[in-house]
Amino acid sequence: MTDDRDMPSGPQDFFKMFTETGEQAVETQQELFKQMLGAGMSGGMDMNQLGAMSQTATFKTRVQSGGRISIPDAEREALDIEEGDIVQTVLVPVKRERDD
C-alpha cells in the first residue's frame, strides 16, 4: 500500500518527482554500464541486465514545431530504429528557454 504523503499534491510536486525519477534512471543506466565494464564481459554481469541496457538510450533533444522531437542518428543506429518503427518514450523537461 502506498503512503499518501509520497503522492504529488500538485503540478510542481509531480514535476519534481518525475524529474527525480528520470535522474535515478540515468544513474541506474550509468551504474549498469560501470558494472559491465568492470565485469569485463567475462563474469558477474547478468545477461538480462546487459540485454535491457543495450535496448535503451538516454539523450537530450529540442522540441520542434508541432511538438516533434528527433532521435539522434547514433541512437537510431545503435538501437536499429527505422522510419515507421514504434518506440516508447519517457520525457523529462531539462531546461526551458522562454520569455514568460
Side-chain angles (χ1 to χ4, degrees):
M1 194 86 195
T2 60
D3 187 346
D4 288 339
R5 291 175 292 177
D6 294 336
M7 300 300 293
S9 62
Q12 296 286 2
D13 289 340
F14 180 79
F15 177 76
K16 180 180 178 187
M17 181 183 76
F18 199 74
T19 301
E20 289 171 355
T21 301
E23 290 170 352
Q24 290 172 356
V26 170
E27 289 174 9
T28 300
Q29 286 180 340
Q30 290 172 341
E31 185 59 35
L32 281 173
F33 188 67
K34 288 177 187 175
Q35 289 176 8
M36 183 182 71
L37 291 177
M41 299 298 293
S42 61
M45 184 66 182
D46 181 355
M47 293 310 287
N48 289 329
Q49 290 175 323
L50 179 60
M53 185 177 160
S54 68
Q55 297 175 18
T56 63
T58 302
F59 58 90
K60 295 178 185 176
T61 189
R62 189 172 302 278
V63 177
Q64 301 167 7
S65 66
R68 291 179 178 85
I69 61 170
S70 296
I71 302 172
D73 290 340
E75 279 73 12
R76 287 197 315 268
E77 291 173 14
L79 298 174
D80 192 27
I81 296 172
E82 296 179 356
E83 184 175 335
D85 288 351
I86 296 174
V87 298
Q88 183 171 352
T89 57
V90 176
L91 300 175
V92 179
V94 176
K95 182 178 179 183
R96 293 197 164 109
E97 296 178 4
R98 299 183 193 161
D99 294 329
D100 289 338

